[in-house]
Amino acid sequence: MSGAGHPGGPGRPGTEPGTGSSGRTAPPVRRRGRPTSAARAAAGEAARDRILASARTEFAERGYDKASIRAIARGADVDPALVHHYFGTKEQVFEAAVEVSFAPASEGLRALPAHTPGTLGAQLTRFFLGVWENPVTREPLLALVRSAVNNETAARILRALVTRELMATVARELDGPDRELRVELAAAQLVGTAIMRYVIKVEPLASVDPGELAGRLAPTVQHQLTGPVGERPRGG
């Protein structure tokens, strides 16, 4: 017998390959893997920025361990495959988010006005506090610090970027075989203050005027950078 009498058969009138019994086109089957070129074009260049913004939010709210590629993609309104296409693994997404969050600090350090070794501590302290006082630059940093505190992978990524982008820049301004250690000790003063002021919000440190805080903190930072070993910092 001919296939014309069988539902859905090739001889049934009014139907075509890929259509259902009602004649409507069946939806395409979604497959995992790299997104098509059409999907990438539809997402546009803004997709990458949306993914990074969603990643920062996801890491801030859920931490590194609980954040997921699917949730990041959902927040950016893209397919998860597009996240993998642009960034790769969750670890690589986090690293990209760290780099974007630290970009203002890195660029600002390189653009510091001319100074002498004796004024570096004051300039560095004012600049550092300025980054944390600005809500636009503070919120992404808070998200990354919270993730790094609770996850070793996140901590390693953050540590590598801080060393490469921030500490190395400051170390080039100093002389001596122990300049890396000096910069790390100065950074410990600044980062410790930031965590207590902006993360834990210990009072009265959390409420003190930024100008007063810079004036009190700068001599200690300067001493760690250039002061004699074993002597107490002057001023402050």
Side-chain angles (χ1 to χ4, degrees), residues 36-159:
T36 64
S37 57
R40 294 196 298 270
E45 291 298 323
R48 192 178 191 279
D49 294 335
R50 294 203 310 273
I51 292 170
L52 281 176
S54 176
R56 290 198 299 269
T57 300
E58 183 71 8
F59 288 126
E61 294 179 353
R62 300 179 61 82
Y64 183 88
D65 287 328
K66 294 182 179 180
S68 70
I69 294 294
R70 286 187 177 277
I72 291 170
R74 186 164 54 249
D77 194 25
V78 300
D79 191 279
L82 201 63
V83 180
H84 289 297
H85 168 72
Y86 281 123
F87 300 103
T89 64
K90 183 173 78 168
E91 181 176 333
Q92 290 170 311
V93 176
F94 183 79
E95 186 171 7
V98 170
E99 290 179 353
V100 169
S101 299
F102 268 86
S106 300
E107 295 167 2
L109 274 178
R110 289 191 288 268
L112 282 178
H115 54 267
T116 65
T119 62
L120 179 58
Q123 284 195 327
L124 188 60
T125 301
R126 287 195 298 269
F127 168 76
F128 181 87
L129 292 177
V131 170
W132 280 91
E133 283 295 315
N134 184 347
V136 174
T137 50
R138 179 176 66 238
E139 291 307 317
L141 292 176
L142 283 174
L144 300 175
V145 168
R146 288 173 181 142
S147 289
V149 167
N150 296 313
N151 181 272
E152 176 53 33
T153 298
R156 175 177 54 78
I157 293 171
L158 184 60
R159 187 164 56 241

Side-chain angles (χ1 to χ4, degrees), residues 184-230:
E184 289 177 2
L185 289 171
Q189 300 291 329
L190 295 170
V191 172
T193 299
I195 290 175
M196 293 187 67
R197 177 176 172 87
Y198 303 103
V199 180
I200 304 176
K201 298 182 179 180
V202 176
E203 294 290 355
L205 178 60
S207 300
V208 69
D209 178 77
E212 179 183 350
L213 179 60
R216 289 173 173 267
L217 190 57
T220 302
V221 174
Q222 181 66 50
H223 177 77
Q224 297 294 358
L225 292 172
T226 61
V229 176

